[in-house]
Amino acid sequence: MGVLLPHLELAGLLERYVDRLVRTTAKQNDALAEEQRVDLMVGLSQAAEALRASERCDHEPAEQLLRSALDLMEGVDLNRFALSAR
């Protein structure tokens, strides 16, 4: 069976990744890493909500959420978090 609503499935996947990030703890006492981790979690959550808003045809809120997510995630070093959720 194929994916019927891929954007909703992607939203769920993003939120599962956020859940995994919430459960990870910083290995170092690094304030910048923690700030970026929070920005990444909030950005992913906002992206997931934007996908859901798009499904409801709430295009303006969806665009605002995506722009906010992009702003938050722009400064995040994704390499730092690529393996932390395993």
Side-chain angles (χ1 to χ4, degrees):
M1 179 167 92
V3 177
L4 298 178
L5 299 171
H7 46 294
L8 294 182
E9 187 170 322
L10 179 57
L13 208 96
L14 292 175
E15 288 189 339
R16 284 193 300 277
Y17 190 72
V18 170
D19 289 342
R20 293 175 87 179
L21 282 170
V22 166
R23 290 190 306 265
T24 62
T25 56
K27 293 185 171 60
Q28 312 170 17
N29 198 4
D30 184 351
L32 178 60
E34 185 59 22
E35 182 180 324
Q36 287 186 0
R37 185 171 149 277
V38 169
D39 286 348
L40 178 59
M41 289 187 296
V42 173
L44 291 172
S45 294
Q46 287 180 336
E49 182 53 35
L51 291 167
R52 288 188 179 93
S54 180
E55 168 62 21
R56 296 186 305 266
C57 296
D58 292 336
H59 300 296
E60 189 174 329
E63 183 177 340
Q64 290 171 351
L65 284 163
L66 284 175
R67 288 186 189 281
S68 178
L70 285 170
D71 287 344
L72 281 169
M73 294 172 59
E74 215 169 50
V76 174
D77 177 7
L78 294 177
N79 290 325
R80 180 176 275 186
F81 303 100
L83 301 175
S84 67
R86 283 188 174 183

